[in-house]
Amino acid sequence: MKPLPSLKNLYYLVNLHQEQNFNRAAGICHVSQSTLSSGIQNLEEQLGYQLIERDHKSFMFTAIGEEVVQRALKILTDVDDLVELVKNQGEPMTGEIRLGCIPTIAPFLLSRLLKQCHENYPQLSLLLKEDTTERLLASLGKGELDLLLLALPADVTGYHSMKVGIDPFKMVIHKDLANTVHEPVDYQTLPDESIFLLQTEHCITGHAISACQLGDSRKVNPFAATSLHTLVQMVNSKLGTTFLPQMAIDAGILNDTDLTVLAPPGDSPFREIGLVWRQTTSRIRTFRTLGLEVQKLLQQKM
């Protein structure tokens, strides 16, 4: 049997590719820079190909090196899944789950999910990471996360997904301005630049525009907020109006404000909430059971 590359050296290579810096990669791997460099050189010798072009100041991955990195990512992820399968002996709702969630869901749902799982599944540990959809999907693909809680639709090609519920959109406005808006709301009656939204990397902006049938870009203010809480404060200052998901309203985001809730245009506009995981995972039973727990929470009123 021919000598096989060690998982350790593949791990060194993947982290170097991610960090693009020997010192940082060595720190992540908890080894010295010389150990990491020697491990990658050993990997090149085993494979018989140069993976990295080096000089005394810089380095770059070769074409075959880039391909090896992608294959190594899949190998390391599959090994991680294998270890989890054996560790948990195939039992669902045990062990550790690294869960990623977007910022327009995390503050309003995750604390309740943690409490519910702690009560019902004491042998399950949820480790949480909050980030944008794009970055979370990248982390899932690299094996850095096990499961994502996202708003759909999103490009989840190559992954399995499970829809767990819907989250209606509502329009909010200061109560002193409410008499200037008549229901059902007609966007054309609103002043230009009077609708405030989140920055475009937050998927809720596209979901709200689509679901609420906001087709006139002149009505959208060019200032984009970084969070739903910022949007609330802007609208509470009588600067305009915005769209909020029902789960944020139920969680009390409008508490201590002078905002009132309106039904936005459209046929009961909403976003879908779903779980996303890798196709190669061995923990489908666990993820589907967790999805049922999220469904219960979405059906509950705060």
Side-chain angles (χ1 to χ4, degrees), residues 73-74 76-78 80-81 84 98 137 139-148 158-161 276-284 287:
L73 274 171
K74 185 178 185 307
L76 292 171
T77 299
D78 287 348
D80 188 57
D81 288 340
E84 285 297 321
R98 298 166 296 174
L137 285 168
S139 294
L140 182 66
K142 294 176 184 177
E144 298 169 352
L145 293 172
D146 305 309
L147 182 67
L148 305 182
Y159 299 103
H160 283 308
S161 63
V276 179
W277 59 82
R278 291 185 299 276
Q279 294 180 347
T280 55
T281 185
S282 60
R283 308 187 71 186
I284 295 177
F287 297 161

XYZ file of all heavy atoms in Angstrom, residues 73-74 76-78 80-81 84 98 137 139-148 158-161 276-284 287:
279
model
N -10.160 19.870 2.177
C -11.294 20.380 2.951
C -12.383 19.330 3.080
O -12.937 19.109 4.160
C -11.855 21.641 2.285
C -11.213 22.974 2.650
C -11.727 24.067 1.739
C -11.503 23.322 4.104
N -12.693 18.680 1.959
C -13.739 17.648 1.984
C -13.311 16.451 2.830
O -14.104 15.906 3.611
C -14.063 17.190 0.567
C -15.223 16.194 0.501
C -15.546 15.817 -0.921
C -16.789 14.922 -0.980
N -16.705 13.742 -0.110
N -11.192 16.395 5.378
C -11.195 16.757 6.801
C -12.616 16.869 7.344
O -12.891 16.490 8.487
C -10.438 18.072 6.999
C -8.931 18.005 6.736
C -8.328 19.407 6.749
C -8.232 17.106 7.744
N -13.519 17.393 6.513
C -14.918 17.494 6.940
C -15.538 16.115 7.115
O -16.255 15.854 8.088
C -15.721 18.302 5.903
O -15.181 19.616 5.810
C -17.182 18.399 6.310
N -15.262 15.210 6.162
C -15.799 13.847 6.266
C -15.248 13.127 7.496
O -15.979 12.380 8.175
C -15.456 13.051 5.001
C -16.278 13.491 3.796
O -17.253 14.232 3.994
O -15.923 13.117 2.667
N -14.263 14.559 10.266
C -14.919 15.181 11.420
C -16.311 14.593 11.633
O -16.719 14.303 12.762
C -14.996 16.689 11.212
C -15.496 17.417 12.446
O -14.888 17.274 13.514
O -16.510 18.136 12.344
N -17.052 14.424 10.537
C -18.382 13.815 10.630
C -18.287 12.379 11.139
O -19.138 11.918 11.924
C -19.082 13.837 9.271
C -19.538 15.233 8.867
O -19.653 16.095 9.762
O -19.763 15.463 7.670
N -17.727 12.395 14.866
C -18.958 12.725 15.579
C -19.921 11.542 15.611
O -20.598 11.297 16.613
C -19.639 13.932 14.920
C -18.967 15.258 15.216
C -19.003 15.606 16.688
O -20.039 15.351 17.343
O -17.990 16.106 17.206
N -22.130 22.929 16.110
C -21.686 24.294 15.827
C -22.717 24.922 14.882
O -22.772 24.595 13.713
C -20.294 24.269 15.203
C -19.221 23.663 16.110
C -17.952 23.342 15.360
N -18.177 22.322 14.350
C -17.274 21.921 13.463
N -16.058 22.454 13.473
N -17.565 21.004 12.571
N -22.331 30.200 4.955
C -22.290 29.106 3.982
C -20.848 28.710 3.669
O -20.543 27.521 3.500
C -23.033 29.499 2.709
C -24.565 29.489 2.803
C -25.187 30.163 1.583
C -25.089 28.063 2.931
N -18.343 28.958 5.759
C -17.865 28.226 6.937
C -18.430 26.815 6.982
O -17.746 25.867 7.381
C -18.254 28.975 8.219
O -17.578 30.212 8.306
N -19.684 26.652 6.568
C -20.288 25.320 6.513
C -19.542 24.441 5.517
O -19.255 23.270 5.791
C -21.765 25.431 6.124
C -22.557 24.124 6.081
C -22.683 23.522 7.469
C -23.943 24.356 5.469
N -19.235 25.005 4.360
C -18.524 24.241 3.342
C -17.135 23.817 3.771
O -16.632 22.763 3.361
N -16.498 24.628 4.622
C -15.152 24.306 5.101
C -15.174 23.351 6.293
O -14.113 22.942 6.770
C -14.430 25.601 5.510
C -14.138 26.544 4.363
C -13.527 27.831 4.892
C -13.302 28.837 3.778
N -12.773 30.127 4.316
N -16.359 23.037 6.791
C -16.445 22.163 7.947
C -16.276 22.886 9.261
O -16.169 22.249 10.316
N -16.261 24.223 9.252
C -16.108 24.998 10.483
C -17.422 25.074 11.258
O -17.415 25.341 12.465
C -15.620 26.410 10.159
C -14.256 26.442 9.486
C -13.894 27.800 8.921
O -14.754 28.704 8.911
O -12.733 27.952 8.482
N -18.541 24.881 10.572
C -19.860 24.846 11.197
C -20.569 23.561 10.777
O -20.279 23.001 9.706
C -20.689 26.062 10.781
C -20.197 27.435 11.275
C -20.999 28.553 10.617
C -20.277 27.534 12.787
N -21.509 23.115 11.592
C -22.248 21.889 11.294
C -23.628 22.161 10.701
O -24.134 21.366 9.907
C -22.440 21.066 12.575
C -21.131 20.761 13.268
O -20.221 20.263 12.580
O -21.028 21.020 14.482
N -24.228 23.281 11.094
C -25.626 23.537 10.781
C -25.851 25.044 10.739
O -25.244 25.791 11.502
C -26.508 22.913 11.871
C -28.023 23.008 11.738
C -28.505 22.178 10.552
C -28.688 22.517 13.028
N -26.740 25.481 9.829
C -27.053 26.902 9.718
C -28.551 27.124 9.898
O -29.370 26.306 9.475
C -26.643 27.447 8.351
C -25.195 27.249 7.903
C -24.984 27.907 6.542
C -24.216 27.774 8.932
N -26.032 22.314 -3.359
C -25.039 21.393 -2.830
C -25.233 21.059 -1.367
O -24.462 20.272 -0.801
N -26.252 21.644 -0.740
C -26.539 21.368 0.673
C -27.967 20.836 0.799
O -28.803 21.045 -0.068
C -26.399 22.627 1.525
C -25.011 23.228 1.521
C -24.725 24.357 0.760
C -23.996 22.670 2.294
C -23.456 24.911 0.762
C -22.730 23.223 2.298
C -22.463 24.343 1.523
O -21.203 24.884 1.524
N -28.247 20.199 1.926
C -29.611 19.824 2.269
C -30.221 20.942 3.102
O -29.527 21.600 3.877
C -29.644 18.516 3.065
C -29.435 17.301 2.224
N -30.167 17.033 1.082
C -28.577 16.250 2.369
C -29.770 15.890 0.561
N -28.806 15.398 1.313
N -31.521 21.160 2.945
C -32.193 22.196 3.729
C -33.543 21.680 4.215
O -34.123 20.763 3.627
C -32.383 23.475 2.912
O -33.218 23.250 1.796
N -29.916 24.440 7.251
C -29.093 24.004 6.116
C -27.903 23.214 6.657
O -27.276 23.625 7.645
C -28.585 25.222 5.307
C -27.716 24.754 4.136
C -29.756 26.058 4.799
N -27.608 22.061 6.004
C -26.458 21.260 6.424
C -25.827 20.577 5.225
O -26.400 20.522 4.136
C -26.860 20.227 7.479
C -27.920 19.240 7.044
C -27.726 18.106 6.322
C -29.334 19.309 7.306
N -28.916 17.453 6.122
C -29.921 18.162 6.720
C -30.148 20.217 7.994
C -31.289 17.918 6.782
C -31.504 19.962 8.057
C -32.063 18.832 7.462
N -24.617 20.058 5.428
C -23.900 19.386 4.343
C -24.563 18.065 3.981
O -25.101 17.365 4.863
C -22.436 19.127 4.735
C -21.586 20.384 4.856
C -20.128 20.011 5.137
N -19.985 19.279 6.384
C -19.883 19.842 7.584
N -19.913 21.160 7.698
N -19.743 19.100 8.666
N -24.481 17.681 2.724
C -25.073 16.432 2.271
C -24.355 15.213 2.841
O -24.944 14.132 2.943
C -25.049 16.369 0.744
C -25.936 17.405 0.064
C -25.888 17.305 -1.451
O -25.028 16.637 -2.017
N -26.801 17.987 -2.117
N -23.095 15.396 3.237
C -22.293 14.252 3.688
C -22.407 13.993 5.190
O -21.804 13.049 5.691
C -20.810 14.498 3.356
O -20.397 15.754 3.924
C -20.596 14.523 1.849
N -23.158 14.807 5.902
C -23.205 14.664 7.356
C -23.853 13.350 7.774
O -24.702 12.796 7.076
C -23.977 15.835 8.001
O -23.891 15.723 9.433
C -25.438 15.814 7.603
N -23.440 12.873 8.943
C -24.028 11.651 9.505
C -25.064 11.981 10.584
O -25.562 11.079 11.262
C -22.922 10.778 10.117
O -22.258 11.485 11.162
N -25.415 13.267 10.741
C -26.249 13.691 11.872
C -27.616 14.226 11.424
O -28.190 15.109 12.049
C -25.507 14.747 12.689
C -24.112 14.306 13.084
C -23.462 15.282 14.015
N -24.061 15.264 15.348
C -23.725 16.117 16.313
N -22.815 17.038 16.087
N -24.310 16.050 17.491
N -28.123 13.657 10.348
C -29.392 14.143 9.807
C -30.520 14.024 10.824
O -31.353 14.934 10.966
C -29.748 13.386 8.511
C -28.715 13.698 7.432
C -31.142 13.763 8.039
C -28.932 12.948 6.137
N -30.293 16.914 13.224
C -30.647 18.198 12.629
C -32.151 18.307 12.385
O -32.753 19.369 12.596
C -29.880 18.409 11.324
C -28.379 18.481 11.500
C -27.528 18.270 10.430
C -27.835 18.746 12.749
C -26.154 18.335 10.589
C -26.455 18.817 12.927
C -25.606 18.602 11.840
